[in-house]
Amino acid sequence: MENWFLTKQIDENTFAISEPKHWEETNCYLLIGTKKALLIDTGLGVGDISSEIGKITDKPVIAVPSHVHWDHIGGLRYYPEFYVHELEKDWIDGNFPLSNEFVYKMLVKDNDLTDVIKVDDYAVFRGKPSGVLKDGDIIDLGGRKIKVLHTPGHSPGHLCFFEEETGYLFTGDLIYKGTLFANYESTDPEKYFESVRKIAELPIKRVFPAHHSLDISTEIVFEVLDGLTEIEKQKKLCRGSGKFDFGNWSILL
C-alpha cells in the first residue's frame, strides 16, 4: 500500500518507521550499526516495510519483534533472519492463540481497510525463526550493542530492548501513551507489573514505544509503575477487573 509508512529520523543511525493510517499506529525502529542493522517490530504487513528500510540502509537486517502479535510480525515475511523469545517460538510456528477472525476484526477496527485487507486472504504470519532470544542476550550490530530484556505480561515472551550507551529503551507494548492491554487469556497482569518494575531500574534517557505518539517522556515509566502499584493495593491486579484510567495512559485488565 503506497504511503502507508511515515519515517522519522531519531539520530544519525536510528529511525522510527510508523503506520499512522491504522488505529494502532504501530511504530517500528531501525537501529543501524557498522556491520548490520536491527529492525525492532515489522508492523501489520499491509505495506512493504522492506522498501522503506531499503531507502535508509543497505546493511543486512536482523528483524526482532517485541512479541508475536499480528501488528508486530506482519513484515517478517521480508526478513529471513528473525528471532523471537523462546516462549513464543510455537506461536510464530503455527500455534498463535488468537483466531484469524479476531485478528481481522482488530485490523479493520475504526479503519476503512476492507478494500486493502480481505478476510479470506488474511492470515497471521507464520515462519521458523533463525533462533530464539532470552533475557540478557546482547545483539551486537557493530559499534552498537542492544540488550534483550524479557518483560512478560502483555504476552509470555514480550521483549524490551535497551541500549546502554544512549539510554534508549524500546518498550514494545509494555508502555506507551494510550490503552495498555493485559486482558487476553495469554496476558498476565502480575508479570506485567514485575516487568515495569524491572525496566524502571534502568538508566533510561529516552523511551520509544511500539504504538501511538513518539512524544513520550521517560516519566511515563514511573507513572505506569505508580498506577500498577495502586491497582495492586486495591487487590485488582488481575484479568477481568476492568479498565483503569490514569490520564496519559490506561490499562485494560
Side-chain angles (χ1 to χ4, degrees):
M1 185 176 182
E2 291 185 6
N3 302 316
W4 179 253
F5 299 101
L6 177 65
T7 297
K8 179 179 180 180
Q9 186 166 2
I10 295 164
D11 63 30
E12 184 179 0
N13 291 303
T14 309
F15 298 78
I17 301 95
S18 305
E19 298 180 309
K21 294 181 180 179
H22 190 258
W23 70 273
E24 291 187 279
E25 298 176 316
T26 300
N27 302 313
C28 310
Y29 297 95
L30 180 68
L31 285 61
I32 304 171
T34 58
K35 295 181 179 179
K36 59 184 71 173
L38 172 66
L39 179 60
I40 300 173
D41 290 325
T42 62
L44 294 161
V46 173
D48 179 356
I49 194 169
S50 68
S51 66
E52 297 300 309
I53 301 303
K55 297 173 186 177
I56 302 170
T57 185
D58 58 1
K59 289 185 169 66
V61 175
I62 302 168
V64 179
S66 57
H67 58 298
V68 179
H69 279 173
W70 60 92
D71 47 326
H72 300 264
I73 64 174
L76 287 179
R77 64 174 60 94
Y78 304 109
Y79 294 101
E81 186 178 2
F82 72 89
Y83 299 81
V84 299
H85 188 270
E86 53 193 346
L87 291 180
E88 293 180 6
K89 181 177 180 294
D90 288 345
W91 282 17
I92 207 159
D93 201 16
N95 292 308
F96 188 70
L98 300 171
S99 69
N100 278 338
E101 289 76 16
F102 173 86
V103 173
Y104 180 76
K105 288 178 182 178
M106 292 292 286
L107 282 171
V108 300
K109 175 185 173 184
D110 299 331
N111 286 84
D112 185 18
L113 293 179
T114 53
D115 60 335
V116 178
I117 309 171
K118 304 299 182 183
V119 65
D120 292 339
D121 298 334
Y122 184 78
V124 176
F125 173 81
R126 293 176 59 176
K128 292 188 179 298
S130 304
V132 295
L133 297 171
K134 60 182 184 302
D135 188 59
D137 282 350
I138 301 295
I139 302 173
D140 190 345
L141 304 176
R144 299 186 78 170
K145 292 184 178 180
I146 312 301
K147 187 173 185 178
V148 176
L149 302 170
H150 182 211
T151 50
H154 178 70
S155 73
H158 187 281
L159 300 171
C160 290
F161 303 89
F162 183 63
E163 185 175 25
E164 187 173 359
E165 184 175 350
T166 58
Y168 289 177
L169 177 67
F170 301 86
T171 58
D173 278 13
L174 187 69
I175 289 179
Y176 52 79
K177 284 184 179 179
T179 301
L180 308 175
F181 294 92
N183 61 319
Y184 305 147
E185 287 187 10
S186 53
T187 62
D188 187 324
E190 291 186 358
K191 288 185 178 179
Y192 204 119
F193 188 20
E194 291 173 10
S195 293
V196 175
R197 283 200 296 254
K198 178 177 181 175
I199 65 167
E201 296 177 354
L202 298 170
I204 308 164
K205 294 181 180 177
R206 292 190 68 178
V207 171
F208 297 99
H211 292 288
H212 308 308
S213 178
L214 297 176
D215 180 18
I216 185 170
S217 166
T218 57
E219 288 302 311
I220 196 170
V221 174
F222 304 100
E223 292 173 12
V224 173
L225 180 61
D226 290 345
L228 293 178
T229 299
E230 181 59 32
I231 295 171
E232 185 188 46
K233 287 179 179 177
Q234 296 174 21
K235 301 187 184 303
K236 293 182 178 179
L237 192 65
C238 57
R239 280 189 288 110
S241 58
K243 186 176 182 180
F244 299 83
D245 195 339
F246 295 92
N248 260 345
W249 66 282
S250 59
I251 189 165
L252 188 58
L253 298 173

